[in-house]
Amino acid sequence: MEEFKELTEKDIEEVRAKVDMESNYRRLAGTWARVIRCLAVAMSVYQLYTAVFGVLPAQLQRTWHLGFALALIFLLYPSNRKSRRAFVSMYWLDVVLALLGAGVNLYWIINYQDILMRAGDATKPDLVVGAIAVLLVLEAARRIVGLPITAIAALFVLYAYVGPYLPGFLSHRGFSVERIISHMFFTTEGILGIPLGVSSTFVFLFILFGAFLEKTGIGQFIIDLANAVAGRAVGGPAKVAVIASAMQGTISGSSVANVVGTGSFTIPLMKSIGYKANFAGAVEAAASTGGQIMPPIMGAAAFLMAEFTGIPYARVALAAVIPALLYFTGVGIGVHLEARRTGLTGLPEEQVPRLGKVLRERGLLLIPILGLIVIMASGATPTKAALLAMVLAILVSSISPKTRLKPKDVLDALEQGARGALGVAAATAAAGMIIGSVTLTGLGLKLANGLVTLAHGNLLLTMFFAMIASLILGMGSPTTANYVITSTIASPALIHLGVPLLAAHMFVFYFGIVADLTPPVALAAYAGAGIAKGEPMATGVNATKLAIGAFLVPYIFVMSPQLLLINTTVFGALRVAVGAVIGMLALEAAVQGWLLKQAGLPERAALALGGLMLIDPGSLTDIVGLTLFVVIYLLQRGSARRQGINYVL
């Protein structure tokens, strides 16, 4: 056991910089720091202005947003990440690229009417500007998001050109360089497509809302609240991590940010009562990954889902409630069984804050989140909901001198909000190029048909292949790009086999998020390992084992759309949810090798089979699955009683 010692801000920043490319930016002082601050604040002010007084025409709204983003990315993120000097000084080439990034978008803005009148008949200057824009977006995405998304976007663009030379169903007539450039930058089906449109409107506002909430001190309040609720329980610190991460997920849509935010407190706390480093990091990684699934503020891809499906975001968020709760329940079950197996206790009384005191002193900080839920439930647009919630956050913070925002805090929030949106802007611009290639070539339909053919029309096999595709694409790619690709390939295949539209899209969205904790590239697990000083691969394996029950959830809601509140009653949704919880408990016990006591190989096999049977909503499979679980439970209970072992679950 280690003495509890919360991480310093320097330690946290080092971990962020290692695993999160968005956090690995230049630390500048003087004139350049002021220039970047002014640009970032101006970007936030522009977004607030259009939110209050009306969004501009699509092309103008998106080009202003992209222009700000490209300029800031090239100023903040150096090309060579191995050079220490690049992080403390500005290079002239990056200044040129920042000016070009702003310039290509200003070209669109200045020539807006002429470009519309040309209706795709691009001039030579258009093509030069368009080519520069494509290259700048790819380079910006490489710098802030990573090489995988850049490579994927470039391959999709290349596919549009080399179609005639490809074999089989991948072949198409091919398109000229001029047509591809024009399609990518001078239509709303490429870079300036729906993904960037979502980024330039309500996604930015929700990120800005999160920045204002952080300034009120809600992060520490969430940790204290979770500690007061679960700190004394068996394996208390691990359960604190699960609860805190679930609550943090209501205001943040980033797995790595959640790990670093709550893990800087919970991971040292877990290690202080005997949790091993790899397991402590895994608990936080598994719990924090669910943050993108947790309403009301889900990952950016959830907003894309609303646009792609035509389903209001409020309905998407409502559909995600039960799957999100089941995800955290699954992780909580894994944590509890591990604590029982290893005999880990809760925290000493003196380390646990009083719930009443925490709520009395800072409970008002929950009002903006609750207000956001109420506003969205009333039918307001996401833009209006985010704006009103932001106002609520500022008003509520002013009640107490401890949380009151000063003018500097407001400017800091405006700057941090813009900085936090840069990764999403770059990812959605690159994702737009992927969509542009798909719409130009018809690739999506070809791949969807190929997926169905590969699975021989079997729904379970199609879901399995879709899951594997999502997990592979999630290795280093952001959820946004992952969802864009899988929603154009895997979702149509599932819909073709009779899966409801929302369930099909939620399936690939869910597994794109879970990719953050599955090895070999598991960014959330790497962050957890960095804080815990553990081994990244072992942390990723432990995180996957902890969340294994949660892997059942998407299969269950595809087979039983009642979990997404589709054509169901409260009783119908509860029946499926209860079956899902029992299935997750059985599968988690099989993986951990522990239910009430150590489970032998036959017991583990029976528990695994029972858990998997509960995926299928059929009465026969439910009865078989439940029977297997109850039989093993009773056998273990009898054996534990005879051995004098505590047989409480």
Side-chain angles (χ1 to χ4, degrees):
M1 280 190 275
E2 298 181 7
E3 182 184 353
F4 170 62
K5 184 181 178 183
E6 195 170 350
L7 270 69
T8 64
E9 190 64 34
K10 184 180 178 182
D11 294 331
I12 295 170
E13 285 302 316
E14 284 179 2
V15 172
R16 279 189 200 269
K18 284 180 183 177
V19 299
D20 183 17
M21 293 190 73
E22 288 186 48
S23 300
N24 198 11
Y25 52 82
R26 285 186 170 106
R27 268 68 176 178
L28 300 168
T31 302
W32 280 116
R34 288 191 290 272
V35 168
I36 289 168
R37 183 176 176 85
C38 288
L39 265 178
V41 171
M43 184 179 187
S44 290
V45 170
Y46 157 72
Q47 297 286 170
L48 287 171
Y49 177 84
T50 58
V52 173
F53 295 103
V55 174
L56 302 176
Q59 297 92 331
L60 295 180
Q61 180 76 21
R62 297 167 192 179
T63 45
W64 276 110
H65 178 76
L66 183 61
F68 275 119
L70 289 178
L72 283 166
I73 288 168
F74 287 119
L75 293 177
L76 279 168
Y77 297 90
S79 176
N80 182 6
R81 292 182 171 273
K82 294 180 181 178
S83 168
R84 288 190 177 182
R85 184 169 174 270
F87 284 94
V88 292
S89 58
M90 184 64 69
Y91 288 0
W92 67 267
L93 179 59
D94 291 332
V95 176
V96 171
L97 292 176
L99 291 171
L100 280 173
V104 293
N105 289 282
L106 281 174
Y107 178 88
W108 230 118
I109 293 162
I110 293 167
N111 297 284
Y112 172 65
Q113 291 295 341
D114 290 340
I115 292 170
L116 290 186
M117 293 298 292
R118 286 198 284 271
D121 186 16
T123 62
K124 283 188 178 179
D126 289 349
L127 294 174
V128 171
V129 169
I132 293 170
V134 168
L135 294 174
L136 288 174
V137 166
L138 290 173
E139 172 60 9
R142 184 191 69 82
R143 291 190 183 200
I144 192 171
V145 184
L147 187 59
I149 186 175
T150 306
I152 292 168
L155 281 173
F156 270 83
V157 173
L158 183 63
Y159 172 74
Y161 179 74
V162 301
Y165 310 105
L166 296 175
F169 75 95
L170 288 175
S171 178
H172 63 87
R173 66 186 179 89
F175 297 90
S176 66
V177 172
E178 292 80 2
R179 175 72 190 281
I180 293 169
I181 291 172
S182 178
H183 188 76
M184 290 298 162
F185 194 60
F186 292 102
T187 71
T188 53
E189 293 185 21
I191 291 171
L192 303 180
I194 289 174
L196 190 67
V198 170
S199 173
S200 68
T201 50
F202 34 80
V203 168
F204 187 98
L205 293 176
F206 278 104
I207 292 172
L208 190 57
F209 169 58
F212 273 99
L213 275 184
E214 282 300 319
K215 285 296 173 184
T216 66
I218 196 169
Q220 188 58 49
F221 165 66
I222 284 173
I223 291 171
D224 290 344
L225 183 60
N227 202 3
V229 170
R232 300 177 186 84
V234 173
K239 291 175 181 173
V240 169
V242 175
I243 294 170
S245 296
M247 294 181 68
Q248 187 74 22
T250 64
I251 60 170
S252 169
S254 167
S255 304
V256 173
N258 288 353
V259 171
V260 176
T262 56
S264 59
F265 175 84
T266 59
I267 290 174
L269 197 60
M270 281 186 267
K271 291 175 70 178
S272 74
I273 68 160
Y275 277 83
K276 293 179 181 177
N278 292 337
F279 190 80
V283 169
E284 187 56 58
S288 291
T289 295
Q292 291 192 66
I293 309 167
M294 178 62 87
I297 303 178
M298 301 164 69
F303 295 94
L304 280 180
M305 191 192 306
E307 291 296 307
F308 286 175
T309 61
I311 298 169
Y313 176 73
R315 177 67 186 88
V316 172
L318 180 64
V321 170
I322 297 178
L325 293 176
L326 287 175
Y327 178 92
F328 286 104
T329 301
V331 176
I333 288 169
V335 163
H336 179 77
L337 292 177
E338 175 67 13
R340 282 289 186 196
R341 187 178 71 82
T342 54
L344 293 171
T345 59
L347 291 168
E349 189 69 29
E350 62 272 14
Q351 283 188 252
V352 181
R354 296 287 177 186
L355 179 60
K357 185 172 184 289
V358 172
L359 288 173
R360 274 196 311 274
E361 290 181 353
R362 288 169 289 165
L364 287 173
L365 294 178
L366 289 174
I367 290 176
I369 300 172
L370 297 174
L372 177 63
I373 294 169
V374 171
I375 295 164
M376 287 177 61
S378 70
T381 64
T383 298
K384 184 178 180 182
L387 276 174
L388 292 176
M390 223 178 299
V391 172
L392 266 178
I394 295 169
L395 292 176
V396 166
S397 72
S398 65
I399 294 172
S400 168
K402 292 181 180 178
T403 59
R404 189 172 298 144
L405 298 180
K406 303 177 182 66
K408 182 182 179 299
D409 294 325
V410 173
L411 287 174
D412 286 345
L414 291 171
E415 181 183 0
Q416 290 307 315
R419 285 182 175 228
L422 297 180
V424 177
T428 51
M433 294 166 68
I434 295 169
I435 292 178
S437 297
V438 169
T439 57
L440 197 60
T441 62
L443 178 64
L445 186 59
K446 293 176 182 178
L447 291 177
N449 290 335
L451 188 61
V452 173
T453 303
L454 183 65
H456 300 290
N458 182 280
L459 179 57
L460 273 175
L461 265 180
T462 305
M463 285 194 287
F464 177 75
F465 291 145
M467 176 189 77
I468 297 299
S470 295
L471 294 178
I472 291 172
L473 284 168
M475 292 179 184
S477 291
T479 311
T480 310
N482 189 340
Y483 170 73
V484 165
I485 298 169
T486 51
S487 66
T488 56
I489 298 168
S491 292
L494 294 174
I495 293 165
H496 177 75
L497 294 174
V499 176
L501 176 68
L502 181 56
H505 281 262
M506 194 70 80
F507 183 90
V508 296
F509 168 70
Y510 190 108
F511 276 118
I513 289 166
V514 172
D516 273 353
L517 59 85
T518 49
V521 182
L523 296 182
Y526 287 3
I531 295 172
K533 295 179 170 51
E535 204 277 312
M537 187 62 72
T539 302
V541 170
N542 280 325
T544 304
K545 286 169 63 179
L546 276 174
I548 196 70
F551 275 69
L552 292 180
V553 175
Y555 287 91
I556 296 171
F557 67 59
V558 166
M559 307 292 283
S560 304
Q562 296 98 313
L563 272 188
L564 300 178
L565 305 178
I566 296 174
N567 299 327
T568 188
T569 61
V570 173
F571 175 76
L574 279 176
R575 183 185 67 79
V576 178
V578 169
V581 170
I582 297 170
M584 288 192 296
L585 174 57
L587 193 60
E588 198 66 62
V591 172
Q592 298 277 2
W594 184 277
L595 185 59
L596 300 177
K597 58 186 282 294
Q598 196 75 35
L601 192 59
E603 290 176 322
R604 294 174 74 171
L607 286 168
L609 180 60
L612 293 172
M613 293 290 277
L614 286 163
I615 293 177
D616 193 328
S619 299
L620 179 61
T621 51
D622 281 356
I623 291 169
V624 172
L626 191 58
T627 300
L628 284 170
F629 174 76
V630 170
V631 166
I632 300 302
Y633 174 84
L634 292 174
L635 286 172
Q636 284 221 335
R637 182 175 176 179
S639 176
R641 183 182 290 172
R642 287 191 297 274
Q643 295 173 35
I645 299 172
N646 179 7
Y647 54 83
V648 176
L649 185 62

